Amino acid sequence: IVIIIVAVVLGVTLSKTSSQFQSVFMSRCEKFKDSDCQKIWEAFQQAYVNKDPCKVPMEAYDPLIAAAPFTPTCNRMMFWSKTKDVVHDFTDKRDCFVTLEDTLLGSVLDGLTWCGKEGSNETFTTGCPGWDDCDNPVRSFWNRVSAAYADVACGDVTAMLNGSITAPFNNMSIFASIEVKRFSAPRVRSLNVVLVTQEENATNCTNASLKDLQKELDQGITYSCTEVPETKIQECASDPQTPCGDCW
Ligand code: N1C
């Protein structure tokens, strides 16, 4: 009898995790009007449910991208690497730039962890493989959506990179390994790097990794780099009077 009670309680807690995850997904999704969140949820789930959580390639999310395609916002697309907090502090206050987290798929899954298990229809939020462990559902998701978002990039594109680290353009990052490779001319006209600096300047626009970035760029895309102190970005974020074009 004890075993039965334990099993039932466990089963109930597990499906509670599943349905809690689903309610977060659905309520975030429903903020985007005219989207079929039930259909998007189904497409999302098929990528990892009932599968080995170490064998989820990025292609598993192809049906999800098809169910919730990205609409490009030319000249306003913002990419970033190792600057998540500054970027979102800025985009939350000013609406001149659009990041992946401002789109349906990016905002619905931002900050969440999930995985499935062979022989189960549940979504688990604990005990999932880590980012670097294997082909896990979370990393494959960000790889796939970042690719789709970069595929529609157009016009003048902005990227906020971190000037406090030795390699602001790091080959291991999603920005370097996925997004930059997908920017294509003439659809993308320019890539404008905003190198976010602190008081203790670690690096500047002459950084070696930024040379690699320029080499990676499709011929025909104009490159520029501007060093901007983090404090200046924060000031501009809190001052709606300053036109975004004058922030850096
Ligand atoms: O590996 P990164 O940065 O270079 O990835 C950032 C890059 C951005 O331009 C986004 O378009 O890739 C996209 N992206 C997200 O939008 C995103 N939201 C949340 C990539 N990763 C994202 N996350 C989480 O941040 C993700 O779970 C992973 O752990 C980090 C990657 O951030 P990074 O290394 O600073």
Side-chain angles (χ1 to χ4, degrees), residues 78-84 88 99-101 106 110-112 131 138 142 145-146 149 172-176 179:
M78 168 75 83
F79 295 82
W80 52 269
S81 191
K82 310 286 183 279
T83 50
K84 197 175 192 219
H88 292 114
T99 64
L100 179 52
E101 293 72 31
D110 195 20
L112 303 184
W131 186 261
V138 177
W142 287 111
V145 286
S146 301
Y149 192 58
M172 301 301 287
S173 69
I174 293 182
F175 179 67
E179 293 176 328

Side-chain angles (χ1 to χ4, degrees), residues 40 55 94 100 113 131 154 166 170 205 218 234 246-247:
I40 297 171
K55 289 184 185 150
R94 305 288 311 258
L100 179 52
T113 300
W131 186 261
C154 47
T166 22
N170 182 311
C205 284
D218 195 359
Q234 285 158 347
D246 295 345
C247 285

Side-chain angles (χ1 to χ4, degrees), residues 165-224:
I165 53 181
T166 22
F169 183 71
N170 182 311
N171 295 101
M172 301 301 287
S173 69
I174 293 182
F175 179 67
S177 64
I178 308 251
E179 293 176 328
V180 166
K181 295 184 194 308
R182 300 212 174 213
F183 294 158
S184 81
R187 198 186 155 76
V188 171
R189 183 171 40 218
S190 68
L191 174 68
N192 306 104
V193 170
V194 172
L195 191 64
V196 184
T197 60
Q198 310 261 311
E199 245 98 289
E200 307 297 319
N201 269 348
T203 191
N204 55 38
C205 284
T206 65
N207 181 281
S209 78
L210 296 176
K211 298 272 182 307
D212 300 336
L213 166 55
Q214 292 171 68
K215 271 183 248 147
E216 278 283 331
L217 271 191
D218 195 359
Q219 296 272 328
I221 299 179
T222 307
Y223 167 87
S224 77

